[in-house]
Amino acid sequence: MAEAERQPPPESSEETPPATQNFIIPKKEIHTVPDMGKWKRSQAYADYIGFILTLNEGVKGKKLSLEYTVSEAIEKLVVLLNTLDRWIDETPPVDQPSRFGNKAFRTWYAKLHEEAENLVATVVPTHLAAAVPEVAVYLKESVGNSTRIDYGTGHEAAFAAFLCCLCKIGVLQVDDQIAIVFKVFNRYLEVMRKLQKTYRMEPAGSQDHPFLEPRHFVDEKAVNENHKDYMFLECILFITEMKTGPFAEHSNQLWNISAVPSWSKVNQGLIRMYKAECLEKFPVIQHFKFGSLLPIHPVTSS
């Protein structure tokens, strides 16, 4: 995949990154609908989708309560996310005429924008300090849009890209796979839900289990009893808290999925849908940024 990953394993944690690695500030490259072809052929797309699928395989059929290795880098990422959470408490919503899109979000966002590189520097070892400005861009892009005060799948994708970049520079390792999802990504989702609730943000643009079947996720009792074990059910619970009316009306696509007979088919279907409805949609990908770690150039075989 990445240049750094093709190097022999470092002798020590103080190993310097490859001399060929010139970090750059990521920027937008997808300006028109025809540019989508560049994205789908890009090294960034191949690496991003590979990263997502690898994590998906790593946690399939596992409970959040599973015991797994938690490295120092994972702990530092959780501290970073806890800091973002604390800033929400320190930046209460303001009184304003409109119910949605509370402008206090812009104050919160400005603080992140100012501190992002410092936050990322707490996770990245000093010998990789040159990567910080590039990696920090994805963190800034992952929390919603400060102009529209909205949040959507493109912002979530930016956080996945942030984690992917940390893997490519060697801050996160193969052994971190489960913790990346269960500890870091899960904490990220918690903070994003708190952001959306606190600032009333608009939505932008959203192994088979022995007894829990897909039909159960539209059953309020099943969700309430099992959401602490499964990330998918945490997402469903959040939707039911934020929406009113029958589930079939406010979340029709998910309602349809509840008729799928097995979790493995649900998993395959959601991956297909994620590619089609998020990664292959111009309104989402036009905001994605490309640098040296997630480059726009066509896939090169390693």
Side-chain angles (χ1 to χ4, degrees), residues 70-140:
V70 178
S71 65
E72 191 182 351
I74 293 288
E75 293 285 14
K76 286 175 175 176
L77 280 165
V78 172
V79 170
L80 183 157
L81 290 165
N82 290 344
T83 300
L84 301 189
D85 189 318
R86 190 182 76 247
W87 289 349
I88 300 173
D89 296 333
E90 293 170 1
T91 318
V94 295
D95 285 336
Q96 62 178 48
S98 61
R99 188 173 163 216
F100 291 98
N102 195 280
K103 290 180 175 54
F105 173 72
R106 291 178 182 152
T107 306
W108 181 91
Y109 182 86
K111 189 164 180 65
L112 170 62
H113 208 269
E114 192 181 318
E115 295 291 332
E117 290 190 18
N118 293 334
L119 289 172
V120 173
T122 65
V123 179
V124 174
T126 49
H127 69 277
L128 290 168
V132 167
E134 178 166 344
V135 176
V137 167
Y138 295 103
L139 179 64
K140 288 186 273 193

Side-chain angles (χ1 to χ4, degrees), residues 2-296:
E3 186 69 27
E5 288 178 16
R6 295 201 292 271
Q7 305 300 309
E11 298 289 323
S12 75
S13 62
E14 291 306 306
E15 187 81 6
T16 52
T20 54
Q21 183 72 59
N22 289 317
F23 297 103
I24 56 176
I25 299 296
K27 64 182 197 298
K28 294 179 184 181
E29 299 279 2
I30 308 302
H31 304 294
T32 64
V33 172
D35 288 341
M36 289 295 285
K38 281 200 298 187
W39 156 243
K40 283 185 256 185
R41 289 188 298 272
S42 72
Q43 190 68 51
Y45 182 88
D47 291 352
Y48 179 86
I49 203 73
F51 179 67
I52 296 287
L53 294 177
T54 301
L55 294 180
N56 177 60
E57 283 301 317
V59 300
K60 212 183 266 183
K62 294 183 172 72
K63 283 189 176 184
L64 285 163
S65 55
L66 176 82
E67 288 196 7
Y68 47 84
T69 310
V70 178
S71 65
E72 191 182 351
I74 293 288
E75 293 285 14
K76 286 175 175 176
L77 280 165
V78 172
V79 170
L80 183 157
L81 290 165
N82 290 344
T83 300
L84 301 189
D85 189 318
R86 190 182 76 247
W87 289 349
I88 300 173
D89 296 333
E90 293 170 1
T91 318
V94 295
D95 285 336
Q96 62 178 48
S98 61
R99 188 173 163 216
F100 291 98
N102 195 280
K103 290 180 175 54
F105 173 72
R106 291 178 182 152
T107 306
W108 181 91
Y109 182 86
K111 189 164 180 65
L112 170 62
H113 208 269
E114 192 181 318
E115 295 291 332
E117 290 190 18
N118 293 334
L119 289 172
V120 173
T122 65
V123 179
V124 174
T126 49
H127 69 277
L128 290 168
V132 167
E134 178 166 344
V135 176
V137 167
Y138 295 103
L139 179 64
K140 288 186 273 193
E141 294 285 314
S142 74
V143 297
N145 182 283
S146 65
T147 305
R148 295 186 301 274
I149 313 183
D150 66 6
Y151 175 86
T153 49
H155 303 112
E156 183 186 77
F159 191 76
F162 168 66
L163 296 174
C164 183
C165 288
L166 291 175
C167 285
K168 294 187 105 185
I169 62 174
V171 171
L172 295 172
Q173 309 282 338
V174 175
D175 290 351
D176 292 317
Q177 202 175 96
I178 294 172
I180 287 170
V181 183
F182 282 0
K183 202 151 183 73
V184 179
F185 198 78
N186 197 43
R187 183 71 185 110
Y188 162 76
L189 290 177
E190 288 172 357
V191 177
M192 292 306 102
R193 288 173 190 140
K194 184 170 174 176
L195 266 186
Q196 290 167 76
K197 279 183 172 176
T198 303
Y199 303 121
R200 302 302 302 262
M201 297 172 77
E202 301 275 12
S206 176
Q207 173 190 62
D208 292 338
H209 198 274
F211 68 87
L212 265 182
E213 296 171 18
R215 63 189 173 87
H216 289 126
F217 78 72
V218 292
D219 174 351
E220 191 179 343
K221 183 171 182 285
V223 171
N224 286 334
E225 287 176 359
N226 296 282
H227 69 92
K228 285 189 167 63
D229 279 336
Y230 300 103
M231 288 178 74
F232 181 69
L233 296 186
E234 282 277 19
C235 293
I236 299 297
L237 181 68
F238 181 67
I239 289 168
T240 59
E241 286 174 353
M242 299 301 282
K243 305 269 188 179
T244 55
F247 196 95
E249 289 178 17
H250 64 60
S251 302
N252 190 253
Q253 287 273 40
L254 282 169
W255 175 263
N256 292 338
I257 290 168
S258 71
V260 175
S262 69
W263 285 113
S264 59
K265 286 275 191 292
V266 168
N267 188 264
Q268 291 163 20
L270 285 173
I271 287 168
R272 274 200 307 273
M273 195 180 290
Y274 182 64
K275 286 180 179 174
E277 300 300 326
C278 179
L279 300 185
E280 294 177 9
K281 285 284 189 277
F282 174 72
V284 175
I285 298 304
Q286 65 175 329
H287 301 293
F288 198 90
K289 293 186 176 177
F290 301 83
S292 72
L293 295 167
L294 289 170
I296 188 66

